[in-house]
Structures are given as C-alpha cells and as structure tokens.
Amino acid sequence: MGRGHMPIGRRERAKQAKRERIMTAARELFAEHGVSGVTTQQIAHRADVAIGTLYLYASTKAELLIMVQNERFAAAIDAGLAAANAAAGQGALGPVIALIRPVVECLREHIENGRTYLHELVFGDPTEPYRQAGLALAGRLEDGVTGLLTRDAHIGAADAATLARVITAIIHISTTATVYLHRSDEAVLADIRDQIHATLAPHHRAE
C-alpha cells in the first residue's frame, strides 16, 4: 500500500463534524444577532452539542468569534491580493486600495463583530491559538501591503515595511472608531484612500 493520506478514524471524523457544527452555529448566530446578542449556550444548542463539549473547542465566546472571523478575514485577504495583482501597473496607491477593499468590507459586514474581532486580536492573549491565527492573518495583510509598496521605485524596502504598519493602523482606526460607524463602506474607503495618499506623498515629492 502506498504512503498516501492516512484514513481519518471515526473518532477524528466525529470531532471534525462537531467542530463544523459549532462553527456553523456560531457563524449564523453572530450574523443574526451580533456577538453581544448571543450566548455560548445558544451556540451549543444550535450546534446540538453539550456546553462542555463546546468549551473543548473554544473556551469563550470571544474565541468562537475569532474562529469565525478568521475564516472571513483570510478569504478577504485572498480576494484582496488577487485584486491587487490585477491592478498592477497603477502605481502603489491603486493596488493597495484594491488589496484592502475586501478587508474593509469584511470587517464592516457586521460592524459590531468586526470591531470586537479587531479588539480581541489587539488586546487579547496573543498566545491563545485562535488569536495567534488571527494575528498571523494580520501579519499577512501587512506583508501584502509591504510587497505592493516595494514595487514603487520611490519607496525603499525599509520604508515600505514601516508604511505598511501605518496603513494597517489606518485601516484599524477607520473600521473601529465610533465616529465612523454610520458611514458607508465607500465613504470609509474614500477616507482611507485619502489618508494613504497623504502618507505616501512625501516619498514621491522627495525624488
């Protein structure tokens, strides 16, 4: 017999099925009611698992939210990177905006959930596995912005990394600050674009 994939045992299949039911239940309930309007007991009930079983997969409601949002965040980054590559040749600003557009839309799809997710990533325990995964995604986004900026002949590699951190900070504030909550996605993106343009402008004037 070849050394291909080992078959998954019944116990492991059962664990995967429970995790998927929990994820689906959490995803649906958070979308319907927002993170503050949902309890872990409600998630366990919809997933048809005991509350103790749910805690084997995520020990808090915040971790459940991070589990759900990590999937959405990853998909948004993938979409953004593809869009940025399609926008190559438009200078730095066009591809960067193409990258961050689906990320902003993802974070604002349900504003309470997006704000809570970012808050938990920044202020929660960075050693918790789901937060580690979320922080890795944030790093991937930052690296994506860095890569796009290094294509600009006016921006050196070291400056590109620093500017990428500034740009991700702009995204964070623009998608979480209370003053921006009632703006449309397009208005928020337009404001982000203006801020990024102003941030990059000195590098072009210096040439």
Side-chain angles (χ1 to χ4, degrees):
M1 182 179 290
R3 294 174 176 262
H5 294 292
M6 294 293 290
I8 300 175
R10 181 181 302 174
R11 183 183 179 87
E12 190 61 31
R13 288 199 303 272
K15 287 174 62 177
Q16 288 183 359
K18 286 179 183 177
R19 184 183 187 278
E20 195 55 45
R21 292 206 309 273
I22 290 168
M23 284 286 289
T24 299
R27 187 184 303 115
E28 291 173 352
L29 286 167
F30 288 146
E32 292 167 13
H33 306 290
V35 63
S36 65
V38 177
T39 66
T40 52
Q41 183 62 61
Q42 288 173 317
I43 295 171
H45 178 75
R46 182 170 292 194
D48 194 26
V49 299
I51 190 70
T53 299
L54 182 145
Y55 288 145
L56 294 175
Y57 294 84
S59 60
T60 66
K61 183 169 65 171
E63 288 180 18
L64 286 166
L65 177 69
I66 295 168
M67 287 172 63
V68 169
Q69 289 293 124
N70 277 351
E71 288 189 349
R72 305 184 72 82
F73 195 26
I77 294 170
D78 287 342
L81 289 170
N85 287 330
Q90 299 181 21
L93 185 59
V96 168
I97 295 301
L99 168 55
I100 68 175
R101 173 179 288 276
V103 172
V104 171
E105 291 173 346
C106 168
L107 293 170
R108 288 177 54 84
E109 183 175 4
H110 192 296
I111 290 178
E112 181 195 8
N113 294 346
R115 294 177 82 200
T116 305
Y117 173 66
L118 290 181
H119 179 87
E120 288 292 336
L121 290 187
V122 172
F123 297 105
D125 178 5
T127 65
E128 189 278 318
Y130 299 123
R131 287 187 178 86
Q132 283 186 338
L135 290 169
L137 289 170
R140 184 174 174 231
L141 173 63
E142 188 174 302
D143 289 344
V145 174
T146 300
L148 295 174
L149 295 178
T150 57
R151 298 177 186 177
D152 189 317
H154 301 281
I155 301 173
D159 283 343
T162 300
L163 288 167
R165 289 196 294 274
V166 173
I167 289 169
T168 53
I170 290 170
I171 297 168
H172 184 100
I173 295 298
S174 298
T175 54
T176 60
T178 304
V179 69
Y180 299 133
L181 293 188
H182 300 296
R183 293 186 179 184
S184 67
D185 287 355
E186 287 303 320
V188 170
L189 281 161
D191 186 60
I192 290 173
R193 185 187 187 284
D194 290 345
Q195 291 183 67
I196 295 174
H197 180 267
T199 301
L200 299 180
H203 292 269
H204 294 89
R205 289 200 296 266
E207 291 296 317

